[in-house]
Amino acid sequence: MKSYPRSERLEGHIQKIMAEMIIKDISDPRLFLITITGVKLTPDKKVATIYFSTTGGNDDDREKKALAGFKSAHGFMKRTLAQNLGLKYMPDIRFEADKSIRYGQKIEAIFKTIQNNDSDSSSE
């Protein structure tokens, strides 16, 4: 069995707690339909960047509203994380929109365009 570094286990644990918190404990409508896609700790474990994605509506607008919701709930989230993690030093938490899903959708659209253009030129 492969052993995982402590920081990877901690990142996974933070992601799980954050996802549960958004579903069960936070009723802010700005955080509705938000998915926690990942957590990245700095090497010194002092800062945890929490990546999220949004669904529905204008992505830029939804991301701005979600960031405002996270800012509003920051203290509650950090306290809840601290209680659940039981660490000597609780990392500061920062939130960042995960652009990889939108980037993947953009690449997929480009591939579909290329495929459609290729099938159009082969039918001539």
Side-chain angles (χ1 to χ4, degrees), residues 60-80:
D60 291 331
D61 187 43
R62 290 271 301 137
E63 286 173 4
K64 287 177 186 174
K65 287 180 181 178
L67 284 170
F70 281 125
K71 184 177 180 181
S72 173
H74 184 271
F76 170 76
M77 291 177 168
K78 190 168 179 177
R79 272 191 312 278
T80 303

Side-chain angles (χ1 to χ4, degrees), residues 84-98:
N84 286 297
L85 294 175
L87 298 173
K88 188 174 182 178
Y89 299 104
M90 177 61 201
D92 188 30
I93 55 175
R94 297 185 183 153
F95 298 94
E96 192 172 313
D98 187 351

